[in-house]
Amino acid sequence: LRIPQAQPERNLSRNRTGSFIAVYLKETQETGILHLGLFIWKRNNRFIYGIHIQISKDEKEKDRRLMISKTKKELNTQEIEALCASAGLTQIENIHPLGAGEFNAVYAFDAGGEAYALKIAPSADTPVMTYEKNMMRSELFWYEQLSAHTDVEIPEIVHVDTSRSLTPSDFFIMRRIPGRQMNETEFTPGERKEAAALLPGIAAKMHRITGDGFGYPQNGLHDTWAKALQSMTEAMVSDAAAMGQSCENGEKTLKLSVNMRIFWSAFHAAW
């Protein structure tokens, strides 16, 4: 089924439960990317599950697999060149999408013989969870922390724009470090053992960084993890209600949290 937009049509046959499956194939002519999708709905058209994979037709990139979600901002060549120009980068070449992430979009490109990546957040009007709002700014904060307090190798950030004047999204440009994702790499037994030994050390360096509070920086920090987790849960329950859905586990967690506070208050008072 070839369709003009990356959305499945809803005219496919339904099964006895009222659910239906939509499959689509779309080709983006400009980038030579094939879009393959599978979406499943329930009787009330409630979205249950979706997979969207991009497969590059370029022979050099034939192994590249890209997860696409409705939060990932799709840019064309002209838009990417304009954002790069704001960073003083011109003569942009070899643009292609990167990454299996599900939230931000990442585009690799070359400029002046150097390898770069542009990472762009969802548009400001894209519906997201409370903790996801302005999440890219927290990512940039942690790049700064890692650079200042550890020797963990991270990409150099060469340009940041959170003004949303050029595009209604935060974005930044970083130098691209050569490498492959571990799950896409064929290790020898010795290499896998070496990688497994390196990861805990990297994580330990990251965990030695201390902050001023607990929680998501973009949502405000708290003085204990208990308060931070309660705030996160309250936000999740509120987000679900705003979408006309219930979050039973979240509501149970909040009730348990209240009861535990009452218990410990009584315990300390008696003690």
Side-chain angles (χ1 to χ4, degrees):
L1 174 65
R2 185 177 294 277
I3 60 175
Q5 300 296 328
Q7 295 292 335
E9 292 187 348
R10 300 190 179 191
N11 58 1
L12 301 176
S13 59
R14 298 170 182 264
N15 60 27
R16 288 181 300 173
T17 64
S19 303
F20 70 88
I21 298 174
V23 181
Y24 68 83
L25 178 64
K26 170 198 168 188
E27 180 177 350
T28 304
Q29 298 293 339
E30 182 178 2
T31 58
I33 298 293
L34 287 175
H35 301 258
L36 173 64
L38 168 66
F39 289 80
I40 304 174
W41 277 264
K42 238 180 166 181
R43 182 189 303 274
N44 60 358
N45 284 343
R46 180 182 174 188
F47 177 72
I48 297 298
Y49 189 67
I51 299 174
H52 184 146
I53 299 175
Q54 285 186 338
I55 305 173
S56 174
K57 292 174 64 181
D58 189 321
E59 190 65 24
K60 294 183 298 183
E61 301 292 337
K62 65 181 180 180
D63 293 328
R64 193 175 300 283
R65 296 293 186 270
L66 301 159
M67 176 60 72
I68 303 302
S69 75
K70 56 188 175 183
T71 64
K72 295 181 81 169
K73 189 179 181 75
E74 189 170 349
L75 299 176
N76 59 38
T77 299
Q78 290 72 30
E79 290 170 325
I80 292 172
E81 288 176 342
L83 297 181
C84 291
S86 70
L89 299 174
T90 58
Q91 297 181 333
I92 308 303
E93 300 177 318
N94 303 323
I95 298 172
H96 58 268
L98 264 188
E102 299 179 4
F103 191 71
N104 298 311
V106 184
Y107 295 89
F109 65 92
D110 296 332
E114 299 286 341
Y116 295 91
L118 181 151
K119 191 167 190 176
I120 186 163
S123 295
D125 59 353
T126 300
V128 296
M129 303 289 283
T130 296
Y131 77 91
E132 295 173 325
K133 295 177 180 176
N134 299 322
M135 190 158 61
M136 179 172 284
R137 302 183 189 191
S138 289
E139 178 180 350
L140 289 165
F141 168 79
W142 279 106
Y143 276 131
E144 293 175 357
Q145 294 298 306
L146 289 169
S147 177
H149 302 292
T150 75
D151 59 358
V152 174
E153 185 178 14
I154 59 173
E156 178 190 355
I157 309 300
V158 299
H159 182 73
V160 175
D161 191 333
T162 57
S163 68
R164 302 182 182 175
S165 58
L166 296 174
T167 182
S169 302
D170 294 342
F171 74 93
F172 67 91
I173 297 173
M174 53 187 158
R175 294 190 184 276
R176 205 162 76 243
I177 299 176
R180 293 182 65 86
Q181 293 179 196
M182 288 185 63
N183 63 326
E184 295 179 353
T185 303
E186 294 185 7
F187 288 106
T188 65
E191 289 171 338
R192 185 169 297 280
K193 184 177 180 180
E194 183 181 358
L198 286 172
L199 285 175
I202 294 172
K205 292 176 182 178
M206 296 169 65
H207 282 270
R208 291 192 188 102
I209 300 173
T210 57
D212 300 324
F214 302 90
Y216 293 112
Q218 71 271 22
N219 294 146
L221 299 178
H222 302 267
D223 56 1
T224 67
W225 264 123
K227 292 178 181 179
L229 292 170
Q230 180 176 340
S231 175
M232 295 175 193
T233 307
E234 289 172 346
M236 194 172 297
V237 171
S238 178
D239 289 338
M243 293 184 286
Q245 304 292 331
S246 63
C247 184
E248 295 180 3
N249 288 337
E251 292 167 357
K252 290 178 182 178
T253 301
L254 289 177
K255 289 180 181 178
L256 177 63
S257 174
V258 171
N259 292 335
M260 288 299 294
R261 287 204 309 274
I262 294 173
F263 169 79
W264 284 112
S265 295
F267 177 83
H268 285 297
W271 186 262

